[in-house]
Amino acid sequence: MKTLTLNGFWTLDVSDNLYCGVPATVPGSVYNDLLSAGKIPDPFYRDNEEEALKLMEHDFLYSRSFQVPPELLREERVLLRAEGLDTLATVRINGELVGEARNMHRIWEFDVKDVLREGENRIEILFASPTKFIKQAYAADPADGTTDAMVGFPLIRKAHCMFGWDWGPRLPDAGIWRDISLVGFHTARIRDVRVEQLHEDGAVTLKMHT
């Protein structure tokens, strides 16, 4: 199996030309990248939370170029493995739609071999506004939760504490928050391993299942 990491330097653009070409780091997030670039004040300081929350009415585009070596394309299958996309993500490589994500709590894998080319490639991941989403989802199918959080928060598969809690601010961040890579392999691969414990007569036997 061959792995090509896509972590590192990306570029962030915020919709409506609010911010363009902001240097971004993956893994990371919108708030962290804008704070590091000096575009916003510390969201956790005093009342800055209120302005930071307004920012989440926008959409966010992460993009970068990357080089694909010929040996990766010789693999039978090549997957884009995104271990954390927060949350409403549309993924394109070389302008082609390769997948969509709607859950920050899981790993996403998309078959991308057919859209890759040897040499330079470009990936773009567009994150839609989480606050607009919960407003629209609540209007269509109301579902309530704690009154400490924003209305509609149970309707999105995203860390609910980001929408406010009795102890926390309303800062529903977005971005590529875990590793992202290309994975190439032939025939088969081990996706997961489960270890089973058998306890008998004071001894423990381990069985591994793949």
Side-chain angles (χ1 to χ4, degrees):
M1 188 171 74
K2 294 182 174 61
T3 301
L4 175 66
T5 181
L6 297 180
N7 289 350
F9 177 77
W10 289 58
T11 297
L12 168 63
D13 296 296
V14 181
S15 65
D16 303 317
N17 294 316
L18 184 64
Y19 300 114
C20 299
V22 177
T25 301
V26 171
S29 76
V30 168
Y31 284 142
N32 183 71
D33 291 327
L34 293 178
L35 180 61
S36 297
K39 302 296 185 182
I40 61 172
D42 186 348
F44 293 98
Y45 183 71
R46 292 190 174 178
D47 294 331
N48 291 345
E49 168 196 349
E50 296 176 4
E51 290 302 314
L53 177 59
K54 294 177 184 178
L55 182 65
M56 285 299 134
E57 291 291 304
H58 292 271
D59 299 332
F60 309 95
L61 180 66
Y62 278 85
S63 61
R64 65 161 291 175
S65 296
F66 60 96
Q67 296 291 321
V68 173
E71 55 269 24
L72 182 63
L73 294 179
R74 286 195 288 267
E75 297 292 329
E76 184 177 315
R77 297 189 65 190
V78 181
L79 304 179
L80 176 68
R81 178 180 171 87
E83 299 184 28
L85 298 176
D86 181 12
T87 294
L88 308 170
T90 301
V91 185
R92 287 182 168 84
I93 292 181
N94 296 327
E96 298 290 333
L97 177 66
V98 297
E100 295 180 330
R102 294 293 181 268
N103 187 339
M104 77 169 290
H105 302 295
R106 55 161 286 185
I107 294 171
W108 295 89
E109 291 185 337
F110 308 111
D111 196 330
V112 297
K113 183 173 180 179
D114 290 344
V115 301
L116 293 173
R117 52 183 177 241
E118 183 179 338
E120 185 169 332
N121 294 256
R122 185 167 183 81
I123 183 171
E124 297 179 337
I125 303 181
L126 179 66
F127 293 92
S129 164
T131 52
K132 284 183 178 178
F133 176 87
I134 62 172
K135 289 176 185 176
Q136 294 167 359
Y138 186 84
D141 185 17
D144 291 309
T146 173
T147 56
D148 292 313
M150 298 178 68
V151 172
F153 78 91
L155 297 167
I156 187 171
R157 292 296 295 142
K158 178 176 173 66
H160 288 166
C161 61
M162 289 184 176
F163 294 97
W165 222 259
D166 57 351
W167 48 265
R170 298 181 176 188
L171 295 172
D173 210 347
I176 308 168
W177 70 288
R178 283 181 170 170
D179 293 340
I180 184 168
S181 60
L182 293 173
V183 180
F185 59 94
H186 273 77
T187 308
R189 62 174 176 147
I190 297 175
R191 294 186 60 181
D192 197 7
V193 175
R194 178 171 63 88
V195 177
E196 180 182 357
Q197 297 184 32
L198 301 177
H199 297 259
E200 291 183 317
D201 300 325
V204 178
T205 303
L206 301 180
K207 285 187 177 182
M208 184 176 294
H209 304 269
T210 60

